[in-house]
Amino acid sequence: MKKPLILVTNDDGITAPGLRTLVRLMKTLGDVIVVAPDSPQSGMGHAITLDSTLYSKKMATDTEETGNEEYSCSGTPADCVKLALQELLDRKPDICVSGINHGSNSSINVIYSGTMSAAIEAGIEGIPAIGFSLCDYNWDADFSHSDSFITQIVTEALANGIPKGVVLNVNIPKLEKKQLKGIKICRQARANWKEKFDKRTSPMGKDYYWLTGKFELLDKGEDTDEWALANGYISVVPTQFDLTAHHVIQELNSWGL
Amino acid sequence: MKKPLILVTNDDGITAPGLRTLVRLMKTLGDVIVVAPDSPQSGMGHAITLDSTLYSKKMATDTEETGNEEYSCSGTPADCVKLALQELLDRKPDICVSGINHGSNSSINVIYSGTMSAAIEAGIEGIPAIGFSLCDYNWDADFSHSDSFITQIVTEALANGIPKGVVLNVNIPKLEKKQLKGIKICRQARANWKEKFDKRTSPMGKDYYWLTGKFELLDKGEDTDEWALANGYISVVPTQFDLTAHHVIQELNSWGL
């Protein structure tokens, strides 16, 4: 039987430990091709490169020399997936996995996430796709506790398929392996960021800002990703790219438009 | 009675004719403050500036000197809204309008749209928000045919409010005024882009790509934004930032996770 073809990408860049972990795990499940940004692309949302050129380079980052090809790309995570599917791969991948992101993409963070935009881009192209994120922003975070769960989720997705129009957003709490209670299917918690701009003056006398902020959970539901993560579970949110608020169409039709 | 405060932004930059049109229209409805990118930000999706500094400059672009303040910002459309709300405005705006974009943001384009990401960012912060786009990519496009419709939609939104968690995505067909049939509340059509990468070699001998593509409509429904636009209507899609595919949660619970 032909092994499944697995496209691996991320938003932290091709050398990120989270991506290297995901590559190692995926090699146990199929043939792996990596197409990932050549530099960090956190917070890029679903940006694509419209008015600029893209470079791609075949990399020798596969140090075990398993024959898996790896490419870096100068663009955004969504660009990487577009370039992979149209130019670099000779067949359609069976699944696209993105991550493991260094940092949470739960709740409203999904909107800003480059990791998830890569997965969503694959989903738009009709490819089953999953974004993985660890709730730990450290570059040298410990990814090992979730190995078996990640393998399990991808195995199930390869076996069952993922419903059309849906991409999985998987977040992993920062815990010891023995503290991890399992996996929960969740909805996206209602939350936002309370921004604070740190205003400074440059040595040249020009004012500038750093964007900082505090995450504000606005949702007490026990069926949310935030609840799952706070209670020792890996959260899986089915995420869609039909953004229509279907339940509001009737109300808007009562406006005098 | 105090006039409503209207925050105007876009993704084509503060000098774009589409934004200038929207500013002119909004001045008939309230006090206007503009916070818009200092350069074009098309295709930026919901990108935010995390690892870099932001500059903002008070502009003298209000040539009619009506006392309305205008600021440019070096960041993305979502950055502009965050900076406006946290730093530049002294009270919460009654509504945020983004656009008028030079080009369509209907259907799947909403995912890549800087125009809509600005509106969605305002929505996340609890402010009624609308993105406006004209299906004409020309910089000197004629925006005049939709004046009365834009004014009408914003007036209704100010009067009725917009349901919580929802932002309006308004697209305007490229037509003569007398051909415009009215406004339709729609769902987002199923579609994607068939990409083609134009591969070239630089004078220095390095390969690079331009991203090009063709829009592919995959939806024959007559309740979609694409149908409305093709049939002479302005489309209004209620758009949400809870991306959960609630209808799929039960199915995923049947997986062996």
Side-chain angles (χ1 to χ4, degrees), chain A residues 82 112 121 195 238 240 245, chain B residues 82 112 121 195 238 240 243 245:
Chain A
K82 284 179 186 289
Y112 307 102
E121 186 61 40
E195 273 85 22
Q240 61 191 355
Chain B
K82 285 180 186 287
Y112 308 101
E121 186 60 40
E195 274 85 22
Q240 61 192 357
L243 307 189

Side-chain angles (χ1 to χ4, degrees), chain B residues 80-98:
Chain B
C80 288
V81 172
K82 285 180 186 287
L83 193 71
L85 299 181
Q86 300 305 323
E87 278 286 323
L88 303 174
L89 272 63
D90 54 12
R91 61 184 168 108
K92 198 169 167 167
D94 297 283
I95 198 164
C96 170
V97 294
S98 179

